Amino acid sequence: MKIIYLLTIFLFTYTSIGADFGIFIKSDTPFIEYSTLDEIGTKAEFISEFELERVHDFPIRPSLRLDLGLWVQQDVFLGLMSWYHSTGLSLHYGDYSGEIRSNLIFDNFGIGFTITKFFELENKIKIGIGLDFGLLFKQTTFEDKITIFKESNSIKDSWKDAGYFIQPNIYLSYDYKIFIFGVSLSLNMDFNKNIYDEGKHLESITGLRVGIFVGLNNSN
Amino acid sequence: MENNILKLFILLMIAMYCNSCEFEPSAVNYKHIDDNIEPFQIDFELAPEGDTIYVYKSADLIINYNAENYNKKFIEAVVYKDSSRYTSSQKIGKSLKVSWNRYQKHDTMNITFAIYFHSGTGSLADQLVAETFFIEKKWVLIFYDENTLFDKKLTFDKSKGDMRISWNQIGERDFKSYSLYKLTNNGYSSSLIGQVFNYEPKSTLIDSNYVGQESFYVVIFYDKFGKYIKYEKQRVEKDKLDFSYHLNGNELSFKWTKSKYYNNFERYFIGRGHYFGDSYRVLDTNDLNVTQYNIDYFYPGSKTDFVLTTFAKVENPIYGFRRDTLLNVQNGDDFMKFDRYSHSTNELALLQVEDEISVVNLNSLEVLNTFKGNDDKFKISLNNKYAIGVKNVLNFINLENPSIVKSFTVDEITNGGCSSFDYTYEPDVSNQGILVTRSAPICGSSVYFYDLINEKFLFEHSKTGKYGMKKTLFSKNGDYIFASVDGMWKIYKFNESELVRITNASIQDINSRILLNPYDNNQFVYTGNTGFSIYQINPFKNIKSISDKNFLVQIDFKKGLYYSREIIDLNNGVVIYNSNLQEKNLETGEILREKLINNYKYFYFDDNIYHENGLTFNF
């Protein structure tokens, strides 16, 4: 509530801030190999013998975006943007004696610049074309947990990496007084694929993103 | 302001990154979760019923097991002694020998035998940690030897008219036989009831000759090492005969319940009168089904004892008994029955039924009053105004308005210590007061006279020593007090709140008794260990003396239909018979015929033969 309160204050004070809620659709699944689990200590034969199944396979999950910028020439938005998304892969097997679970979690956080040009179609309905670019911070977490009856054991490790991204956007918006409501379609292109020193291809978050957004424009 | 907006933007980014939007997998993939694990069936060759194994001395325990028929992969068999692993075997069908330090005494030991298998279910645990299933059996070992009675309780069932003796047998191992004996006559004779040669978890043998007398039942257990004995004693359980009466005109009808010892039934008997009184038969039948009897010549108004007895087929025949004293209240009514009967005059009686006491006029048989009380013993003053009852405390009872008006503890009435209310030195009551004695070797013997009118103690005499004061009694009109002082009987008279000795004459009190004539206030009978004498009190005079210590003496006092009788052994002054209010007309001071047989004294009376201790008799 506190964040919403502060956000409300600045929305009505300045013109150049917006929030976006969308879903992220990855483009290249599946992309993880069993050999990956070998490297974190879980035997591949167990996975096949125990009928480990992918109970989560990079599901479509919500992503959040936050923009801060200025309206120039009344229909051009120029400013900063940030973006967060988390998804992953989970393998599981369980029976009366216990369970085994392997998780691979990807957390992605991007921050960069955004520029968008809006064109009014008719009666406050506008179409926008924009481009985002900036740094992409990624964290990959591996976690294995085995439980036999009441006894359990687990291992967990994570790696962090940083790169850059480019994201072209198309917006369809509607102006209502000083507010802007709209939907967006984005193509996120991740240009950093080398998360390991060995240079193995492990993850790319390149994919489509569909969202809705609300913004403030007191330049109208 | 721009800086603030930038800070807010950064804060929002951090919040967005740190919030709970991080992916947390929760979906599951369970397989074989409902697999049924089949029950294990393993044969133990040594698996006695129950949880107990009896081990002779320090013999080894051999556990034979066979796990071949089970479809799981056998791992091992293990024996735990108490909670410690003791021995094990990896062979699927084998024996495990369990032994212990033969020099160490054991009473009991807990043994656990377990067999372990791979589960083979293919479960996660089976694949990763070789999941194991096991079955186990626990025993408590009880070590015994020749000196140990085998610990099996005998149970007795008498509900079916015979005696059924049951016990749980010990383990089948080494069993040879059981024998059940019955010892009677304090173990001087025994009879074999039965034997068991086949092992069964529980054995029952029947003593069809059980008649309720006290017997010892002995079970002897034989195994290949020796024999072990268990015995228990069973006491007499008398038939409970529910005996009821009804009078219609002169016809008196009896009813009772059928004897429950029908397997040993011999006959019923109804006798009339006291054992040592004028008993005679009114019914003697061997028909078990007879449960009632009528007397058509019973005259209302008389007081009579009736005895119902059942007899068994073998020795010590009496095993059912019921005695009731009947007091007819009114023709046509049921008889009054009472638990305790006490009187001190020929006119009044106190009859107790449970916790209610009735005051009854013996002449009219009218219930005068009732009140609450449960005293063990009563005495009524001659003027019928007062009574005392004794049971832990001494209760003073006003009979004109029946109630317990005052209670004394033994300390209150004897000033503390060394005293108790008992039957030997029973208190006495008159219209003047209560006489209480105390006697104890340390405290001496004292007589207390409690003045009921002035509510104070008037009289006390005390002396320590062998011949201390231990007996007192009132004469029957309360005028005289007999007190045994310094080994001599002395007579006092109550005179204007003082007690005055009326004569210098004293009578020796060594094993002697003073018997007051209830119908003559001026007469009493003295019985000592050399004979007896009849005295007149005032003026003091010896009327009659008979000296012969080898005979019993019968003292009768009579008045009309009623008389009082005591039979005294002159050897020791002990009263062996006391009876009141019977319809006889006998002379005072009759010496009875007696005979010594094998040092036991028998005497003849009313054509019957009685034993001196009154325990046996012939009808």
Side-chain angles (χ1 to χ4, degrees):
Chain A
M1 286 301 296
K2 189 175 181 180
I3 293 175
I4 296 174
Y5 173 73
L6 291 173
L7 184 63
T8 305
I9 292 174
F10 287 102
L11 283 175
F12 284 93
T13 304
Y14 278 81
T15 62
S16 54
I17 193 166
D20 183 303
F21 176 82
I23 56 175
F24 186 81
I25 304 171
K26 283 195 60 62
S27 61
D28 55 351
T29 60
F31 64 97
I32 192 165
E33 301 298 334
Y34 291 142
S35 59
T36 305
L37 291 173
D38 277 340
E39 296 182 16
I40 61 173
T42 303
K43 295 180 179 179
E45 57 267 29
F46 285 173
I47 297 173
S48 58
E49 192 166 351
F50 295 137
E51 303 176 62
L52 274 173
E53 286 187 359
R54 297 189 180 202
V55 292
H56 294 289
D57 193 357
F58 299 100
I60 296 173
R61 301 195 69 249
S63 67
L64 295 174
R65 171 178 173 153
L66 189 65
D67 292 358
L68 176 66
L70 298 173
W71 290 94
V72 295
Q73 296 179 353
Q74 194 172 5
D75 54 2
V76 176
F77 180 79
L78 181 64
L80 300 174
M81 63 83 69
S82 63
W83 173 70
Y84 175 76
H85 177 248
S86 178
T87 187
L89 173 72
S90 180
L91 309 177
H92 183 266
Y93 169 84
D95 60 24
Y96 67 90
S97 65
E99 63 178 335
I100 180 170
R101 182 184 286 279
S102 288
N103 293 333
L104 184 61
I105 308 297
F106 297 125
D107 293 312
N108 305 293
F109 178 71
I111 184 168
F113 298 97
T114 181
I115 182 168
T116 304
K117 167 67 176 177
F118 286 90
F119 304 94
E120 185 164 0
L121 298 179
E122 60 177 15
N123 196 18
K124 298 184 180 179
I125 296 176
K126 296 178 180 177
I127 186 169
I129 300 173
L131 182 67
D132 306 327
F133 58 95
L135 297 175
L136 179 63
F137 301 95
K138 298 190 286 190
Q139 176 171 289
T140 304
T141 302
F142 297 93
E143 181 177 17
D144 278 3
K145 183 175 182 181
I146 296 177
T147 301
I148 302 296
F149 298 110
K150 294 181 180 179
E151 300 291 330
S152 64
N153 196 11
S154 64
I155 56 175
K156 186 176 183 180
D157 203 356
S158 62
W159 291 264
K160 292 180 180 178
D161 191 19
Y164 58 91
F165 72 95
I166 296 175
Q167 182 170 271
N169 308 301
I170 298 174
Y171 300 96
L172 182 63
S173 68
Y174 173 75
D175 289 352
Y176 178 73
K177 296 182 179 177
I178 62 171
F179 295 103
I180 304 173
F181 302 95
V183 296
S184 63
L185 177 64
S186 305
L187 175 62
N188 185 292
M189 291 177 288
D190 177 8
F191 292 98
N192 184 2
K193 299 179 180 178
N194 299 321
I195 196 167
Y196 289 130
D197 292 339
E198 293 83 357
K200 289 184 178 179
H201 175 88
L202 183 63
E203 181 207 16
S204 169
I205 61 168
T206 297
L208 285 175
R209 182 171 176 279
V210 179
I212 59 174
F213 70 91
V214 60
L216 186 65
N217 183 1
N218 59 0
S219 64
N220 291 334
Chain B
M1 187 61 70
E2 287 78 1
N3 288 335
N4 288 336
I5 293 173
L6 186 61
K7 290 177 182 176
L8 173 65
F9 180 73
I10 293 171
L11 286 174
L12 288 174
M13 284 193 301
I14 294 172
M16 190 169 64
Y17 187 78
C18 298
N19 70 7
S20 59
C21 289
E22 184 176 1
F23 176 49
E24 292 181 356
S26 58
V28 294
N29 164 43
Y30 275 109
K31 299 289 180 62
H32 312 298
I33 193 71
D34 296 325
D35 278 357
N36 292 321
I37 308 303
E38 61 183 276
F40 294 87
Q41 297 293 337
I42 300 297
D43 297 326
F44 294 99
E45 291 186 16
L46 178 57
E49 293 290 333
D51 302 321
T52 304
I53 298 176
Y54 287 84
V55 180
Y56 175 71
K57 284 186 173 177
S58 298
D60 296 331
L61 175 67
I62 308 298
I63 300 175
N64 298 309
Y65 63 91
N66 182 1
E68 292 178 343
N69 295 327
Y70 192 62
N71 59 2
K72 297 298 182 185
K73 184 179 179 183
F74 174 79
I75 301 176
E76 65 174 349
V78 182
V79 171
Y80 299 88
K81 279 177 25 177
D82 290 328
S83 58
S84 300
R85 184 183 175 102
Y86 176 68
T87 185
S88 63
S89 172
Q90 284 71 42
K91 296 184 178 180
I92 195 168
K94 198 176 177 296
S95 296
L96 271 177
K97 177 180 173 183
V98 186
S99 58
W100 24 78
N101 188 342
R102 292 173 184 272
Y103 301 102
Q104 183 180 357
K105 284 192 173 180
H106 302 278
D107 292 328
T108 62
M109 181 181 292
N110 296 314
I111 292 291
T112 302
F113 174 68
I115 297 181
Y116 296 89
F117 301 90
H118 285 303
S119 72
T121 60
S123 69
L124 194 62
D126 188 26
Q127 295 293 319
L128 293 181
V129 295
E131 182 183 22
T132 300
F133 289 160
F134 71 98
I135 56 174
E136 67 177 15
K137 185 171 178 63
K138 296 177 183 290
W139 293 284
V140 175
L141 305 185
I142 298 177
F143 297 85
Y144 67 96
D145 57 26
E146 291 87 346
N147 298 319
T148 306
L149 297 178
F150 75 90
D151 182 23
K152 286 299 173 187
K153 181 176 177 57
L154 306 184
T155 58
F156 298 91
D157 180 6
K158 293 170 273 190
S159 63
K160 298 178 180 176
D162 47 27
M163 177 69 85
R164 294 165 188 255
I165 305 99
S166 302
W167 65 95
N168 294 320
Q169 297 192 353
I170 68 173
E172 186 176 8
R173 177 172 171 263
D174 303 330
F175 169 83
K176 290 179 70 175
S177 69
Y178 286 97
S179 296
L180 173 66
Y181 292 89
K182 180 171 71 173
L183 308 182
T184 55
N185 296 332
N186 294 321
Y188 292 123
S189 62
S190 63
S191 56
L192 178 64
I193 304 300
Q195 290 179 293
V196 178
F197 294 103
N198 297 321
Y199 173 80
E200 292 177 356
K202 185 173 184 177
S203 290
T204 299
L205 290 174
I206 299 174
D207 177 11
S208 57
N209 288 322
Y210 168 70
V211 291
Q213 77 272 27
E214 183 175 84
S215 299
F216 288 86
Y217 288 92
V218 179
V219 173
I220 301 178
F221 160 62
Y222 296 90
D223 69 4
K224 68 180 183 181
F225 299 104
K227 68 177 182 180
Y228 317 99
I229 297 173
K230 179 73 173 181
Y231 68 90
E232 284 192 16
K233 182 168 61 178
Q234 283 293 296
R235 292 187 175 278
V236 171
E237 184 184 0
K238 290 181 177 177
D239 222 348
K240 292 182 179 178
L241 302 172
D242 188 5
F243 194 19
S244 62
Y245 327 86
H246 183 76
L247 181 67
N248 185 14
N250 289 332
E251 182 175 296
L252 175 65
S253 59
F254 296 86
K255 288 184 179 178
W256 59 91
T257 54
K258 186 186 294 186
S259 171
K260 70 178 182 180
Y261 294 118
Y262 50 84
N263 282 346
N264 294 292
F265 174 81
E266 185 178 87
R267 62 191 171 99
Y268 289 117
F269 170 82
I270 293 180
R272 182 181 182 186
H274 193 275
Y275 274 171
F276 298 98
D278 49 350
S279 62
Y280 58 89
R281 302 174 185 182
V282 295
L283 170 69
D284 193 354
T285 176
N286 58 3
D287 187 349
L288 174 67
N289 296 316
V290 171
T291 56
Q292 67 177 41
Y293 183 74
N294 294 333
I295 300 174
D296 56 6
Y297 50 85
F298 185 80
Y299 297 101
S302 60
K303 168 195 161 290
T304 307
D305 290 343
F306 280 98
V307 177
L308 171 65
T309 311
T310 51
F311 289 83
K313 295 176 181 177
V314 294
E315 60 180 346
N316 300 325
I318 300 172
Y319 66 101
F321 178 78
R322 171 76 185 266
R323 176 191 174 196
D324 275 292
T325 300
L326 304 186
L327 188 65
N328 176 232
V329 178
Q330 193 172 1
N331 192 12
D333 290 342
D334 288 335
F335 282 95
M336 174 186 292
K337 294 182 291 184
F338 42 87
D339 300 326
R340 190 169 293 115
Y341 169 86
S342 180
H343 73 280
S344 62
T345 76
N346 62 326
E347 295 178 359
L348 280 190
L350 298 181
L351 310 179
Q352 181 185 331
V353 179
E354 296 180 347
D355 62 346
E356 189 169 82
I357 297 170
S358 298
V359 183
V360 179
N361 185 311
L362 290 173
N363 292 317
S364 65
L365 300 173
E366 179 185 3
V367 176
L368 303 177
N369 279 296
T370 59
F371 61 99
K372 292 292 183 182
N374 63 348
D375 293 331
D376 288 339
K377 193 150 189 171
F378 304 101
K379 276 205 169 183
I380 303 173
S381 66
L382 191 64
N383 62 3
N384 292 335
K385 291 183 178 179
Y386 308 114
I388 52 173
V390 180
K391 185 177 185 179
N392 301 324
V393 298
L394 187 150
N395 291 315
F396 170 61
I397 303 162
N398 184 349
L399 292 177
E400 292 181 336
N401 181 21
S403 61
I404 297 173
V405 295
K406 188 173 180 60
S407 294
F408 302 91
T409 67
V410 65
D411 286 344
E412 286 174 334
I413 211 163
T414 62
N415 211 20
C418 299
S419 299
S420 63
F421 298 121
D422 56 40
Y423 297 119
T424 304
Y425 308 114
E426 64 190 42
D428 202 358
V429 64
S430 74
N431 56 339
Q432 299 290 340
I434 301 171
L435 270 177
V436 182
T437 63
R438 82 173 184 191
S439 176
I442 297 175
C443 304
S445 302
S446 304
V447 174
Y448 299 87
F449 172 71
Y450 183 76
D451 184 347
L452 289 170
I453 299 172
N454 299 302
E455 295 189 350
K456 64 179 181 179
F457 289 104
L458 290 180
F459 173 67
E460 177 180 353
H461 190 98
S462 179
K463 181 177 176 62
T464 60
K466 181 178 179 180
Y467 301 122
M469 193 176 301
K470 59 184 180 181
K471 305 171 190 174
T472 55
L473 69 162
F474 286 111
S475 64
K476 288 304 175 184
N477 64 358
D479 288 344
Y480 305 114
I481 294 173
F482 292 80
S484 175
V485 180
D486 301 340
M488 303 295 288
W489 281 104
K490 297 174 183 178
I491 303 173
Y492 297 84
K493 184 174 178 57
F494 189 83
N495 185 16
E496 295 181 354
S497 300
E498 290 184 358
L499 290 171
V500 179
R501 185 175 175 185
I502 64 169
T503 173
N504 291 325
S506 297
I507 305 172
Q508 189 177 21
D509 177 23
I510 299 175
N511 296 327
S512 70
R513 288 178 60 89
I514 295 291
L515 304 174
L516 300 173
N517 187 339
Y519 313 111
D520 187 345
N521 187 51
N522 198 31
Q523 190 183 78
F524 68 93
V525 176
Y526 164 84
T527 64
N529 57 1
T530 59
F532 72 95
S533 299
I534 301 173
Y535 287 93
Q536 175 181 292
I537 299 175
N538 192 14
F540 190 75
K541 181 182 177 182
N542 186 338
I543 299 175
K544 179 181 180 181
S545 290
I546 298 175
S547 178
D548 191 336
K549 68 176 182 178
N550 293 322
F551 283 85
L552 303 173
V553 62
Q554 173 184 308
I555 310 298
D556 292 324
F557 301 101
K558 61 179 181 179
K559 181 182 180 182
L561 289 176
Y562 305 107
Y563 78 106
S564 174
R565 169 181 295 167
E566 289 196 357
I567 298 174
I568 303 168
D569 184 349
L570 293 180
N571 279 317
N572 50 27
V574 174
V575 176
I576 62 171
Y577 173 63
N578 179 288
S579 177
N580 292 293
L581 299 173
Q582 299 190 40
E583 299 176 49
K584 280 288 184 179
N585 189 5
L586 299 175
E587 295 297 325
T588 297
E590 179 181 355
I591 293 178
L592 304 176
R593 291 166 291 170
E594 61 138 31
K595 186 176 183 180
L596 287 172
I597 302 174
N598 296 330
N599 291 325
Y600 288 99
K601 189 178 295 178
Y602 292 82
F603 64 94
Y604 303 91
F605 181 63
D606 283 358
D607 297 327
N608 288 311
I609 302 171
Y610 297 90
H611 190 275
E612 63 174 344
N613 61 15
L615 294 180
T616 61
F617 61 94
N618 295 322
F619 288 98

